[in-house]
Amino acid sequence: MHPARRIICSWCQKPLNKAREKKPQTMLRFLKSGDIFCFKYDDHTYCFGRIMSKVIFHIVEIFDYTSDQPIITGKDILRSGRLLVTPLDTYSLFDRKSEGEWRIIGRQEDYTLPEDAAEFWFSWGDRTDCRKSNPLDQTGYKDGVICELAKTLLKYLDGMKEFYEKHIPDAVESYNNFEGVLGMYGVAPCSGCRSMEHNGCSIEGCFLLECTKNHNIDFCGECDEFPCKKTVELFEEEVYKQWLEGNRQIRDYGIESFWENNSGTPHYKSYKK
């Protein structure tokens, strides 16, 4: 297990053994690798762990250490060892606080993944699109299904253009157009609406990223003003309906349930009449 070094309280910037008895909500986008958390096992016992990384979900390690207080020191972590590594529904536990008593109590600022991180694998997704990832996200969902498939297809089409030029010259122009579209999809600049960037956003004047930050929320569905009139003017009809229904599901059932129910649905299906 990677040694714990400089571990401080995320509330008061003091050593963890001096952390205050406070249970703040921690929004999903503020959770970071190296965050130290505790959870209440029973009325007299607290358990502890650390966020290792984020793929689609957060992957955490649970320490082999308990206490009757929500306090752990760097020395405690070094001596404790590891019980398990597991994906965790951090949105429900830390952001929504919908189950049990879970809280971030500090952060290891210089945290890096331990050497054995690549050995822990998890399967996720649905029957039509199941993937395998480890804490290093070595085979994870980084650039999206369409982007990854386009790059893979381009790889296996190497030499196809020359084949067309030699044997089917009348179809070369059509093939060039096809390969051009694949190339565009394979280098898509969009990093997602929640990446804190606006890379290649196709919605002109989109204000949702700044708006959610200003309202101190993660999703529009968490806002007291949802659904607001501003979004009606921002989106075209198909996108608005998708945005509205998606955020209603997030509000009513949580982000993990939303992901499980929608991860296999084609993103542009709403345009199909």
Side-chain angles (χ1 to χ4, degrees), residues 25-44:
Q25 174 195 25
T26 303
M27 298 182 66
L28 186 65
R29 68 167 173 261
F30 295 132
L31 294 174
K32 303 292 184 182
S33 297
D35 280 353
I36 309 295
F37 60 87
C38 72
F39 60 96
K40 203 168 185 179
Y41 182 74
D42 57 34
D43 291 340
H44 308 288

Side-chain angles (χ1 to χ4, degrees), residues 150-161:
K151 288 189 288 188
T152 300
L153 187 53
L154 279 171
K155 173 184 175 181
Y156 287 102
L157 287 175
D158 188 27
M160 184 64 73
K161 176 182 178 180

Side-chain angles (χ1 to χ4, degrees), residues 159-172 175:
M160 184 64 73
K161 176 182 178 180
E162 291 74 15
F163 173 85
Y164 272 76
E165 289 174 341
K166 183 174 182 178
H167 297 286
I168 320 176
D170 293 342
V172 170
Y175 177 80

Side-chain angles (χ1 to χ4, degrees), residues 198 205-213 220 228 231 234-235 243:
H198 282 303
C206 182
F207 55 82
L208 295 188
L209 177 60
E210 287 76 15
C211 190
T212 53
K213 290 168 65 177
C220 293
C228 66
T231 52
L234 175 66
F235 296 132
W243 169 85

Side-chain angles (χ1 to χ4, degrees), residues 37-188:
F37 60 87
C38 72
F39 60 96
K40 203 168 185 179
Y41 182 74
D42 57 34
D43 291 340
H44 308 288
T45 307
Y46 286 90
C47 300
F48 302 85
R50 174 167 48 203
I51 295 178
M52 299 177 68
S53 66
K54 183 178 181 181
V55 184
I56 288 297
F57 40 79
H58 282 101
I59 298 176
V60 307
E61 57 182 345
I62 305 298
F63 303 135
D64 187 9
Y65 177 85
T66 60
S67 174
D68 59 356
Q69 297 292 325
I71 296 170
I72 188 171
T73 67
K75 291 182 178 179
D76 293 331
I77 294 176
L78 287 173
R79 290 194 298 257
S80 65
R82 178 197 292 148
L83 276 179
L84 77 158
V85 174
T86 181
L88 195 68
D89 181 3
T90 49
Y91 178 71
S92 296
L93 297 175
F94 295 106
D95 191 316
R96 295 295 86 197
K97 290 191 165 296
S98 58
E99 181 180 346
E101 182 181 333
W102 295 70
R103 46 176 142 160
I104 300 296
I105 59 173
R107 175 174 298 166
Q108 182 180 333
E109 299 289 355
D110 57 354
Y111 176 74
T112 57
L113 285 170
E115 294 180 359
D116 62 349
E119 300 174 8
F120 297 95
W121 291 95
F122 308 93
S123 296
W124 55 278
D126 60 23
R127 293 179 180 177
T128 62
D129 189 21
C130 186
R131 299 183 183 87
K132 184 174 71 171
S133 299
N134 65 8
L136 299 176
D137 196 17
Q138 289 180 325
T139 58
Y141 182 94
K142 297 186 69 174
D143 295 323
V145 175
I146 294 176
C147 184
E148 290 299 311
L149 290 177
K151 288 189 288 188
T152 300
L153 187 53
L154 279 171
K155 173 184 175 181
Y156 287 102
L157 287 175
D158 188 27
M160 184 64 73
K161 176 182 178 180
E162 291 74 15
F163 173 85
Y164 272 76
E165 289 174 341
K166 183 174 182 178
H167 297 286
I168 320 176
D170 293 342
V172 170
E173 183 178 354
S174 296
Y175 177 80
N176 286 339
N177 292 334
F178 169 67
E179 192 173 276
V181 171
L182 284 180
M184 178 183 67
Y185 285 144
V187 294

Side-chain angles (χ1 to χ4, degrees), residues 191-210:
S191 56
C193 297
R194 294 175 46 77
S195 68
M196 301 301 173
E197 300 175 354
H198 282 303
N199 292 334
C201 182
S202 61
I203 302 176
E204 184 177 354
C206 182
F207 55 82
L208 295 188
L209 177 60
E210 287 76 15

